[in-house]
Amino acid sequence: MQQTLSALVIHDIKNSLALLEADLEQLNHRADAPDEARKAYQRCIELKNRLICFLTLYKHEHAGLKPNISEVELFEFLEDLVAGSQSAMLASRHGHAIEVCVADLGIRIAPEVRRKGVASLDEYLVDLALESALNNAVRYAASKVDIWFEQDADRLTFFVLDDGPRPTRTGNAAQEASPGKPASTGLGLSLCKAVTEAHGGGSVALADAPGGGALFTMAFDIAG
Amino acid sequence: MQDRTDANSMANMLAGKQETFESEYIRFDALTALVIDDIGAMRHALRSQLQWMGINSIKVAADAQEALQQVEANHYDLVLCDYNLNKATSGQHFLEYLRSERLLSARTIFVMVTAEAEYAYVANAVEFAPDDYILKPCPEKKLRARLERLFDRRNFLLPALAAMDDKNYLQVVSECERLMTLVSNERWLLAALKLKAEALLALNDTTDLLKTYEQALALRDNVPWVKIGIARARMLLNEPDAAEEMARQIVADNPSYVAAYELLAEIRRMQKDEEGAYLLMEQSAKILPTAKRFRSNAESAFLLGKLDEAKQYAESAIRLSNGSITERPDDYLSLAHIQTDLGDPQGAIHTLEKSARRFEEKGAYGISRNAILAQAYFDAGDKAAAKRLPERAQRLLTPESGSSALNLIGKAAFKMGDSVLGLKMLTQAVQSSGLERERIARHVTKSMIDTGQHDKVEEVIDAGQRRVLALVDEARKSMHVAQFDAAYRKVLDALAIQSDNIEALFAAAQLHLLWLKRDGIDDDVQERAKSYLAVLDKLVPHNEKVMGFYRFYDQLTGA
């Protein structure tokens, strides 16, 4: 009974948050929207993302995430991810614009991959994980965030690179946020790990990028 | 906004091809949309999101009934439908209804909006799949990105989709072939192949079907509709073992795939294993319960003599469709018929006179209702009431009444001792059953056995038709592998035995159309095709399949 009640309450909160977000979205479309409206919108999105992230992790720990696998065209998928990313949108509304793009040049597909540029994934879960990685990246980036993938015969890896401070200097996921920016909860990396586990395993890491900045990698052990 | 041709250029880069198709900028302001959601605030939010994208012409509906009126009255480029509409009709029921009644234009993009928990249901609905689904909550930017992708693909396929709406299937095939030479983006190629296969199925053209699905398989070997398509094509080509193996493989990979179970059931039925088919249909109804599935299972269980299960399915069909667009008065007929056979005449009388009181006593429904009530009153001991009812049923008879209604009058007549009327009605039921012959023959056989007429079954059912049907079957097999001369000889043999056999005439017409398609116009073949169509038109006027053949004929001959 208690579980049913909790499920109902959470469902209700999630729906109400979505409606609040839609209202704030509309408000922000107006040319005369005050700065507070933008902040409220941003807070609402953060809150919704945290709730979804929490719910996904809760499900992973209690019932196990069951991925709904479909064929995903990887380039289109990343393109849509960036085009529809709220983190990317909010980044462009901050004081200084941060450019988020799919880095064509980074994409590498090994010759032995049978289905080039296509993978069997749960689009929704991977989108959720990468959106959380993007959200983290735009929060620290100085001006630019790049996203791309590499496909090998037995592994698919996504990369998110930002030109912000190196994570080792600031202390990985628990790094201090810049003043005025919301602090990270650390839920993001756990979510990404849960998503790779749900797909049968892989690895997630946040490390210093070779040329400076932070490089996030999420690898899936899946055949290509 | 990113340039959407990027995906194509990427695919080209991978395939080393040159692109000749350029996608146009999507003009949202020229589109029309329908938003269906039972929650006012959600409706409003979705409408506002579409408005901000530039769509000006947006209608909203709170339930399936309202939405149905909108779809019937207007053309929509986009339908955004919430999955969880209300208790009676889900978004999936609504979509199944629209697609099975062919109310949706091929150019309309139907997007299901679902909560995460409902996603699995939508993803498993292969036969009546939406063009896409979005998970709630969906921010405007994500929705926009998704819609741009969908409209991009639609615009690419537009000439073929328009031909699909005109039911000009030959043109759909040729447009798809032309479009496929313009792009190398796999997703678009697959969409074109899928549309081409649909058109070939509508044309009953099995000669190209397998090849089309195999082309799709070469692009992607893990897409369910491609595998289902291959299995279906193999079944139509009369290779049931290969079809079954493929369908079993799909079920093994994805145990919740309803379309695969339904195809397996069709294959079992083709091999006359009704029990096996029923078990598979039970599984599919468990995975995706709909009134249509319950209805069909009620009939199968009834024919197999599993009356208690039949009753449960009939009751479930009524419960699930009550008050919704999928409600059918025939469900009450089935339930009452089953109740009568179960020895519960009072229950049957209650079902028809109380629960189904609102349906008008006319047409095939009126006939069947009176025929079932006659049996129920007879069993309940009210002979006077029972005697009046078959007469009332007969007064409603017209040449279009249908074999099911005739079967029920026949059964009532036999039960009440009027074997002359019984024999007349049941023979007529079999003779006018056309393409439903097998199904009706099973019903008639059951009616006769239930009323103790075992010795007359052969006489009523067979009437010289068995040989004809075997010949038609052989003709179809030859036709499917494009051996038209051999097929023609079999059809002629069949028609020599019975010149007005509907199935033989259908096979003859289809054979000649495929012949014209493959070899081009030949006066003799064309003349024969025309004459078979004329006979069919006279025997089964306004038949959709005959009309389809006529369209095919007109397109082939440029009439």
Side-chain angles (χ1 to χ4, degrees):
Chain A
M1 186 61 205
Q2 216 172 13
Q3 221 173 4
T4 320
L5 188 67
S6 317
L8 278 174
V9 171
I10 290 198
H11 181 73
D12 189 38
I13 292 175
K14 201 171 136 190
N15 272 348
S16 306
L17 260 179
L19 286 174
L20 179 63
E21 182 193 340
D23 286 344
L24 288 166
E25 193 174 69
Q26 298 312 312
L27 185 64
N28 275 278
H29 271 300
R30 288 163 50 167
D32 61 346
D35 202 34
E36 286 81 359
R38 184 186 60 75
K39 279 188 194 150
Y41 181 35
Q42 188 170 344
R43 286 221 175 92
C44 181
I45 290 174
E46 295 278 347
L47 196 58
K48 178 200 72 179
N49 287 346
R50 249 181 268 175
L51 180 67
I52 292 178
C53 185
F54 166 76
L55 287 174
T56 312
L57 279 171
Y58 181 86
K59 206 193 237 175
H60 178 62
E61 274 165 32
H62 288 80
L65 282 179
K66 288 184 197 72
N68 283 300
I69 302 293
S70 62
E71 296 273 297
V72 176
E73 198 109 23
L74 295 166
F75 187 80
E76 282 188 5
F77 170 69
L78 287 189
E79 226 190 18
D80 284 357
L81 175 80
V82 172
S85 165
Q86 287 184 311
S87 311
M89 172 188 69
L90 292 174
S92 71
R93 288 189 190 175
H94 286 160
H96 56 285
I98 291 170
E99 194 190 355
V100 181
C101 20
V102 180
D104 296 13
L105 295 177
I107 294 175
R108 182 185 62 76
I109 299 173
E112 62 273 22
V113 171
R114 205 163 48 85
R115 295 181 300 152
K116 293 187 168 48
V118 180
S120 300
L121 295 170
D122 182 322
E123 211 171 339
Y124 169 72
L125 285 179
V126 179
D127 182 294
L128 209 61
L130 285 175
E131 175 69 31
S132 131
L134 271 185
N135 185 41
N136 201 51
V138 295
R139 201 181 301 149
Y140 296 100
S143 65
K144 197 169 182 342
V145 174
D146 278 333
I147 183 164
W148 72 93
F149 69 90
E150 286 183 6
Q151 193 180 23
D152 293 294
D154 54 357
R155 175 165 275 241
L156 169 69
T157 316
F158 291 102
F159 298 86
V160 179
L161 172 73
D162 71 67
D163 59 356
R166 289 165 178 263
T168 45
R169 277 183 33 209
T170 49
N172 207 341
Q175 61 199 76
E176 290 289 315
S178 317
K181 295 188 182 180
S184 165
T185 55
L187 274 176
L189 279 181
S190 313
L191 172 74
C192 294
K193 280 183 188 138
V195 170
T196 51
E197 279 166 28
H199 282 83
S203 60
V204 176
L206 182 66
D208 294 354
L215 181 66
F216 165 86
T217 51
M218 177 163 68
F220 293 88
D221 297 336
I222 50 173
Chain B
M1 194 51 243
Q2 300 238 332
D3 180 4
R4 291 290 163 185
T5 51
D6 279 5
N8 264 324
S9 357
M10 186 65 196
N12 283 341
M13 200 181 84
L14 297 172
K17 284 191 192 169
Q18 186 70 42
E19 201 73 75
T20 51
F21 178 84
E22 275 196 37
S23 102
E24 283 172 39
Y25 171 71
I26 294 154
R27 288 197 44 200
F28 277 113
D29 61 344
L31 301 178
T32 52
L34 174 66
V35 172
I36 313 164
D37 201 311
D38 58 330
I39 299 169
M42 289 287 181
R43 231 165 26 236
H44 178 73
L46 280 170
R47 181 168 65 179
S48 304
Q49 288 186 329
L50 295 180
Q51 269 168 344
W52 279 107
M53 284 177 213
I55 303 182
N56 299 316
S57 173
I58 306 168
K59 290 264 165 46
V60 292
D63 57 41
Q65 201 64 48
E66 225 178 279
L68 183 63
Q69 286 166 6
Q70 293 285 357
V71 170
E72 281 174 332
N74 309 298
H75 166 80
Y76 290 100
D77 296 295
L78 170 70
V79 177
L80 272 187
C81 178
D82 184 37
Y83 177 83
N84 198 2
L85 280 184
N86 57 40
K87 277 186 187 132
T89 317
S90 74
Q92 187 57 38
H93 289 138
F94 181 57
L95 176 61
E96 283 207 22
Y97 182 79
L98 290 182
R99 289 234 203 273
S100 58
E101 300 292 313
R102 294 161 200 229
L103 292 170
L104 219 50
S105 153
R107 289 168 296 156
T108 301
I109 291 177
F110 191 105
V111 178
M112 197 76 81
V113 185
T114 84
E116 199 198 333
E118 299 150 350
Y119 166 76
Y121 285 106
V122 184
N124 283 325
V126 189
E127 191 186 349
F128 296 100
D131 294 288
D132 206 350
Y133 59 86
I134 51 171
L135 278 156
K136 281 194 284 193
C138 186
E140 187 184 312
K141 271 203 103 191
K142 256 196 172 32
L143 180 63
R144 187 188 178 110
R146 196 52 83 92
L147 291 181
E148 280 183 344
R149 184 74 75 202
L150 287 167
F151 277 103
D152 240 0
R153 192 180 61 191
R154 186 197 74 156
N155 290 351
F156 163 65
L157 291 172
L158 210 53
L161 294 171
M164 199 77 180
D165 277 345
D166 293 340
K167 299 189 173 165
N168 190 342
Y169 302 117
L170 268 189
Q171 200 183 333
V172 176
V173 172
S174 64
E175 280 295 348
C176 288
E177 282 166 357
R178 182 182 69 82
L179 290 170
M180 281 188 286
T181 62
L182 303 181
V183 290
S184 47
N185 177 332
E186 276 188 11
R187 210 182 266 206
W188 289 13
L189 284 175
L190 274 176
L193 283 167
K194 190 177 186 189
L195 202 60
K196 183 182 167 188
E198 275 172 37
L200 289 171
L201 271 173
L203 287 170
N204 284 301
D205 182 351
T206 41
T207 51
D208 268 351
L209 193 61
L210 184 62
K211 209 167 67 196
T212 305
Y213 282 124
E214 276 172 348
Q215 259 178 292
L217 190 73
L219 289 173
R220 295 282 174 83
D221 58 4
N222 205 18
V223 179
W225 68 257
V226 176
K227 288 188 181 172
I228 289 275
I230 293 210
R232 183 172 298 282
R234 293 236 176 259
M235 186 186 79
L236 292 172
L237 288 168
N238 212 34
E239 297 170 24
D241 293 338
E244 183 155 2
E245 195 190 318
M246 185 63 132
R248 294 233 173 258
Q249 193 192 325
I250 303 167
V251 169
D253 291 346
N254 189 342
S256 54
Y257 224 88
V258 276
Y261 290 96
E262 288 173 2
L263 187 65
L264 278 170
E266 260 184 78
I267 298 168
R268 294 274 103 226
R269 211 167 283 138
M270 200 175 136
Q271 300 183 310
K272 312 274 179 236
D273 174 11
E274 295 294 339
E275 180 85 38
Y278 172 66
L279 291 176
L280 287 156
M281 294 305 291
E282 283 207 288
Q283 272 172 294
S284 104
K286 248 181 230 148
I287 299 165
L288 203 65
T290 62
K292 202 172 148 196
R293 290 193 178 89
F294 286 147
R295 209 170 274 149
S296 135
N297 286 5
E299 186 185 19
S300 301
F302 172 76
L303 286 171
L304 287 166
K306 301 173 190 286
L307 293 178
D308 288 316
E309 288 173 36
K311 184 173 173 229
Q312 276 175 20
Y313 276 122
E315 284 169 341
S316 302
I318 290 173
R319 201 171 42 244
L320 206 65
S321 61
N322 193 11
S324 91
I325 50 169
T326 52
E327 184 171 46
R328 295 272 179 284
D330 288 6
D331 288 344
Y332 292 91
L333 294 176
S334 304
L335 178 60
H337 191 183
I338 296 161
Q339 285 170 314
T340 312
D341 279 13
L342 270 170
D344 177 18
Q346 296 300 348
I349 293 167
H350 184 274
T351 298
L352 289 178
E353 294 202 331
K354 295 278 189 305
S355 312
R357 202 171 39 194
R358 64 186 178 284
F359 301 114
E360 260 188 275
E361 187 190 317
K362 61 174 190 185
Y365 172 76
I367 300 169
S368 306
R369 176 185 182 275
N370 287 322
I372 295 168
L373 276 176
Q375 296 176 54
Y377 277 115
F378 183 83
D379 289 347
D382 188 345
K383 306 283 187 259
K387 197 167 178 306
R388 279 197 306 274
L389 287 156
E391 288 160 17
R392 258 167 83 171
Q394 282 187 81
R395 273 202 298 277
L396 291 167
L397 273 178
T398 66
E400 280 90 41
S401 292
S403 297
S404 297
L406 292 170
N407 169 50
L408 288 168
I409 302 185
K411 186 176 175 187
F414 269 129
K415 198 169 203 172
M416 292 157 68
D418 187 347
S419 56
V420 176
L421 181 65
L423 213 53
K424 184 179 157 200
M425 289 291 130
L426 293 184
T427 309
Q428 221 171 307
V430 175
Q431 281 171 354
S432 62
S433 58
L435 290 174
E436 286 204 294
R437 193 182 179 283
E438 274 189 46
R439 187 180 142 251
I440 295 299
R442 291 183 69 208
H443 276 284
V444 168
T445 305
K446 187 168 191 309
S447 296
M448 298 190 79
I449 290 171
D450 288 353
T451 51
Q453 309 294 321
H454 305 72
D455 53 328
K456 298 197 188 74
V457 172
E458 192 87 340
E459 182 190 332
V460 171
I461 302 293
D462 198 11
Q465 294 214 14
R466 208 157 289 185
R467 175 76 191 131
V468 178
L469 294 176
L471 284 165
V472 171
D473 207 34
E474 286 171 30
R476 287 217 174 95
K477 282 178 197 164
S478 303
M479 183 160 67
H480 289 325
V481 289
Q483 292 171 353
F484 297 145
D485 287 309
Y488 185 43
R489 280 196 298 278
K490 300 285 179 199
V491 169
L492 283 180
D493 288 348
L495 289 171
I497 301 172
Q498 195 190 359
S499 62
D500 62 349
N501 184 286
I502 303 282
E503 291 192 54
L505 286 163
F506 266 116
Q510 188 187 352
L511 164 69
H512 281 77
L513 291 171
L514 291 177
W515 219 333
L516 286 172
K517 182 180 172 238
R518 190 191 65 178
D519 298 346
I521 297 300
D522 172 290
D523 288 345
D524 282 347
V525 179
Q526 186 177 350
E527 205 46 52
R528 288 202 301 265
K530 212 163 128 186
S531 69
Y532 288 128
L533 287 174
V535 179
L536 274 172
D537 198 29
K538 209 167 144 195
L539 288 174
V540 279
H542 313 302
N543 180 290
E544 182 145 350
K545 199 165 172 184
V546 178
M547 288 196 276
F549 281 167
Y550 263 118
R551 273 192 298 272
F552 193 0
Y553 176 82
D554 288 347
Q555 290 154 25
L556 284 166
T557 56

